[in-house]
Amino acid sequence: MEFTSTRGEQRYAALVRAAAETVVGLDFDGTLSPIVDDPEQAHIHPDASAVLVDLATQVCAVAVVTGRPARQALDLGGLEEVGNAVGEAGKELYVFGQYGNERWSSTRRRVVGPRPPHGLATFLRDLPRTLRSAGAGEAWLEDKGLAVAVHTRRLPDPDAAFEALLGPVGDLARSHDLSVEPGRHVIEVRSAGMHKGLVVERLVEELGAGGFLFAGDDLGDVEAFEAVGALDDAGLPTLRVCSASDEESTLVAMSDVVVAGPEGVLALLAQLTADARDSRA
C-alpha cells in the first residue's frame, strides 16, 4: 500500500487504535472483484471471503456498498455465506445495493428496497433511439430494476463511445427526472436522492461508529469519500482507500492510501486486521 501523505499514515495509525468502533465500507466492482467485460461474471476475489470474516472480528461492522442490485452482489460475492461466518463471530455484515436504495444484513436476511423510480420505464423505452443517434446502438443495456446501466466496455472503442453517449444519455435522463452516475465505461441512470455518501452517514448514526474506512475505485464512490472526509473533519478516525486502475484516477487525489486493485485492497484489510489484533494484545 502507498500512503499519499504523512497525514495518511497518521490516519491509518489512528484507525488501528479505533478499530473496534470502526465501520469498514467497501465498493464491489474494482474493489472486491476485478473489472471484467461481462458484469455478470465479476465474481469476488477468491481471498475476499476469508479476509472479510477475519476483519469482522476486529471491527464494529463491515458493509459492501455497491451500484449493483443487492441480490446480484450477494450471489457473485458469496456474501450470504460470509454473513453466516461474520454472524458466528458476533458481528454484522451489510450489503447496500443500487447506491443504498436496497439493504440486506446478515441478521435480517432479505433485500429491502423501494419501487422503481417514476420515469424509468419511459426512459428505457426512449433509450435505444438515443444510442443509435450517438452511433452507439450496440451498447449493452443492463436493467437493474431500480436503474438502467449503459455499458460501452464491449464496443470497439469504449472510451469514444462513452464520451459520445454521456451528454445525450444525461439529457434524456434529466428529461425523465432521473439522475446520471458515470463510471468506468458505464453510464448509470437512476432516481435522484440516494448515493453512497448517505449510506456512510446512515451507518455512522445507526451503529454509533467511532471510525470509518471506505475503499472504492470509481466516480460512484466520490460521495462516500466526501462523507468520510466530513467525518474526519468532525474528529473521527477515518481512512479513504483508492483501488487504483489505469482507467480511472479521480479518487487518487481524495485518498489517504492507494492500492493496486482488489488484491491491494484485501492486503490492506488483512494488514489492518493484524495490526488491530496486535494493538489489543
Side-chain angles (χ1 to χ4, degrees):
M1 66 182 163
E2 179 182 345
F3 291 103
T4 58
S5 67
T6 302
R7 183 73 178 112
E9 296 183 60
Q10 294 169 346
R11 287 186 176 122
Y12 177 82
L15 197 77
V16 168
R17 294 191 293 270
E21 301 174 308
T22 291
V23 175
V24 175
L26 304 162
D27 178 37
F28 190 86
D29 291 277
T31 302
L32 289 177
S33 72
I35 297 293
V36 295
D37 288 343
D38 183 355
E40 294 179 0
Q41 299 301 315
H43 295 284
I44 201 169
H45 190 282
D47 296 337
S49 296
V51 170
L52 294 181
V53 172
D54 199 24
L55 171 68
T57 66
Q58 301 300 314
V59 299
C60 173
V62 177
V64 176
V65 189
T66 176
R68 285 182 178 273
R71 172 49 54 190
Q72 193 177 74
L74 285 162
D75 293 343
L76 288 172
L79 294 177
E80 290 190 278
E81 292 77 9
V82 174
N84 290 338
V86 168
E88 290 173 2
K91 298 298 179 69
E92 189 90 16
L93 174 70
Y94 297 90
V95 176
F96 290 88
Q98 308 223 35
Y99 295 90
N101 280 306
E102 297 178 328
R103 176 174 179 152
W104 177 95
S105 72
S106 51
T107 54
R108 300 183 65 185
R109 304 180 67 86
R110 67 186 185 93
V111 176
V112 178
R115 295 176 180 271
H118 178 72
L120 190 63
T122 51
F123 167 82
L124 191 55
R125 181 200 64 200
D126 297 339
L127 183 57
R129 184 185 307 113
T130 298
L131 299 182
R132 290 193 297 270
S133 297
E138 299 302 313
W140 179 56
L141 303 184
E142 181 185 7
D143 186 350
K144 298 184 175 184
L146 300 179
V148 174
V150 181
H151 295 268
T152 66
R153 183 173 295 275
R154 300 178 184 177
L155 298 179
D157 190 339
D159 291 322
F162 176 87
E163 293 299 327
L165 286 175
L166 187 56
V169 171
D171 291 341
L172 180 63
R174 285 182 284 274
S175 74
H176 292 276
D177 296 321
L178 300 169
S179 66
V180 178
E181 186 75 58
R184 288 203 224 174
H185 296 144
V186 61
I187 304 165
E188 183 154 323
V189 175
R190 55 190 173 87
S191 60
M194 177 55 72
H195 54 71
K196 294 183 181 184
L198 294 177
V199 177
V200 170
E201 295 171 3
R202 182 183 302 169
L203 285 169
V204 170
E205 181 178 353
E206 290 184 7
L207 301 177
F212 211 104
L213 179 154
F214 195 92
D217 76 310
D218 205 348
L219 293 172
D221 300 308
V222 167
E223 289 91 349
F225 272 45
E226 290 174 342
V228 173
L231 295 175
D232 181 68
D233 291 341
L236 261 68
T238 64
L239 197 73
R240 291 177 287 186
V241 180
C242 175
S243 176
S245 75
D246 294 335
E247 295 180 1
E248 179 57 58
S249 60
T250 301
L251 295 181
V252 172
M254 303 176 69
S255 300
D256 302 304
V257 183
V258 178
V259 298
E263 288 189 0
V265 171
L266 294 174
L268 181 146
L269 296 179
Q271 187 64 57
L272 174 64
T273 302
D275 290 341
R277 186 174 286 126
D278 289 345
S279 72
R280 295 182 187 180

